[in-house]
Amino acid sequence: MGGAEEVFTLIVRAYRVTALFFSVLTGIAYAANAAPGQTTAANSLTQQCQQLGKLLKLRTDSVCAPAANGAISVASSHQQRSIFAVRRGAKLSEPSATRVLILGAVHGDELTAGWLALQWAGFDVPRSPKRDYAVLHVPITNPDGVFETKPSRVNGRGVDLNRNFPTPNWKAESAKWWNEKTKRDPRRFPGNTAASEHETRYVMRVIETFQPTVVVSIHAPLGVLDYDGGGLPPQRIGSIWLDMLGIYPGSLGHYASRIRGVPVLTVELPHAINAVNDTESRKMWRDLFVWIDKYSNLDSQSK
Ligand SMILES: [Zn+2]
């Protein structure tokens, strides 16, 4: 190596070390700016909550602050909106805890479903002498659908998330269902492949990692309870009664119960734009846990 080359190598090295030094500094500065990440995310769920409240013409303060407390951004929609999750109850490290996953607004135009999920996220987890509950709330699963200029059932890429889960024989079944039953209704498009959507894959991932005992998915406006899975479904939650809706290719209920062995209670609220009031919402919350308490007993007895 000649003298000039040596000097050049040293300069390059010095440059690299300096660049690394500055990038570390920048990283620290960035981290320092972003340090209240928790707060930023919670504020954003607060914003989503306030926006939804506005769409429903509701006062938001009593719901949004408690709902968004401790919220974290866990995934991103196709249009780069955050999907937030809120943890309540027992620690995840508690292996004996009964785990409840609650999903709201999988369909974006079912605004009341998102609102009820936000109300529930702000309530205390009911206590049971027999068990601890770890609850994970994902109040607005399809933010692109909810916050479109006109709220839409489908996500930001025009896919019905509740038909996009990889159920048995999805390709043939979902195409047949979409073509024949819906006459190619764009609001019910199942996607070109199963699990093609960010939001679908997030829900699949959370089922895998959180390992819920039961999933509760809130929809509207059919005004019934639907149930997929073993054990006994509840007869009634609040003023909504059980009335099974049947099986759809690509639905979350079909996927979670058949593929993951996790039962899914679908709560269909009676209205998509007239929100459940606070009294009814609390009643539903209590009834839900009374059922889960019993359900878990039945399940453990049957093993
Ligand atoms: Zn729905």
Side-chain angles (χ1 to χ4, degrees):
M1 192 185 279
E5 254 178 279
E6 223 163 81
V7 170
F8 179 73
T9 311
L10 282 175
I11 290 170
V12 169
R13 272 196 200 147
Y15 171 77
R16 280 188 187 151
V17 169
T18 314
L20 178 68
F21 177 71
F22 276 107
S23 71
V24 168
L25 272 190
T26 316
I28 290 168
Y30 178 78
N33 279 338
Q38 197 88 347
T39 315
T40 309
N43 283 342
S44 299
L45 182 60
T46 305
Q47 284 166 4
Q48 286 190 356
C49 180
Q50 286 168 341
Q51 235 177 311
L52 179 55
K54 213 171 168 186
L55 290 170
L56 288 163
K57 299 186 171 60
L58 293 169
R59 294 175 68 104
T60 57
D61 294 351
S62 63
V63 171
C64 295
N69 183 20
I72 54 166
S73 172
V74 286
S76 182
S77 69
H78 284 283
Q79 293 174 1
Q80 307 299 316
R81 288 185 178 93
S82 281
I83 298 170
F84 293 97
V86 187
R87 280 257 308 104
R88 302 284 185 243
K91 289 197 174 111
L92 286 181
S93 54
E94 178 49 65
S96 64
T98 298
R99 294 158 192 256
V100 183
L101 171 64
I102 299 176
L103 303 172
V106 169
H107 289 144
D109 58 354
E110 298 165 7
L111 301 182
T112 52
W115 192 253
L116 182 69
L118 286 161
Q119 285 178 306
W120 283 359
F123 293 165
D124 289 336
V125 174
R127 290 178 177 278
S128 158
K130 293 176 232 154
R131 67 189 80 251
D132 290 324
Y133 293 108
V135 183
L136 186 69
H137 300 266
V138 183
I140 301 176
T141 313
N142 176 8
D144 288 349
V146 174
F147 301 117
E148 278 285 327
T149 315
K150 184 175 182 294
S152 71
R153 175 183 171 97
V154 292
N155 76 344
R157 298 206 310 165
V159 173
D160 182 340
L161 299 175
N162 207 29
R163 299 291 177 268
N164 188 241
F165 287 89
T167 52
N169 202 18
W170 182 90
K171 189 88 192 158
E173 298 277 327
S174 66
K176 187 169 186 277
W177 177 84
W178 190 56
N179 287 324
E180 291 173 16
K181 297 273 189 221
T182 81
K183 309 288 178 220
R184 302 173 75 85
D185 179 354
R187 296 180 69 246
R188 288 173 168 75
F189 179 57
N192 289 317
T193 53
S196 56
E197 303 310 293
H198 288 181
E199 300 86 348
T200 313
R201 289 199 299 275
Y202 167 67
V203 173
M204 290 168 65
R205 201 162 67 234
V206 87
I207 289 174
E208 203 170 306
T209 52
F210 181 62
Q211 300 197 329
T213 312
V214 61
V215 178
V216 181
S217 184
I218 312 170
H219 287 257
L222 303 178
V224 295
L225 303 175
D226 187 22
Y227 185 74
D228 296 272
L232 283 182
Q235 288 305 304
R236 185 167 66 93
I237 297 285
S239 55
I240 303 175
W241 290 81
L242 182 70
D243 188 1
M244 306 287 246
L245 294 171
I247 291 169
Y248 297 91
S251 77
L252 169 67
H254 195 32
Y255 164 76
S257 64
R258 283 285 297 276
I259 310 288
R260 310 295 316 191
V262 180
V264 178
L265 177 69
T266 302
V267 177
E268 279 274 352
L269 300 175
H271 302 282
I273 48 166
N274 296 330
V276 172
N277 68 36
D278 188 67
T279 311
E280 171 70 0
S281 170
R282 286 177 193 279
K283 172 107 179 49
M284 293 178 78
W285 186 237
R286 282 195 302 272
D287 288 355
L288 182 64
F289 281 88
V290 168
W291 167 66
I292 293 171
D293 211 33
K294 275 191 196 160
Y295 163 77
S296 304
N297 279 340
L298 286 167
D299 199 43
S300 58
Q301 279 166 14
S302 69
K303 273 175 193 160

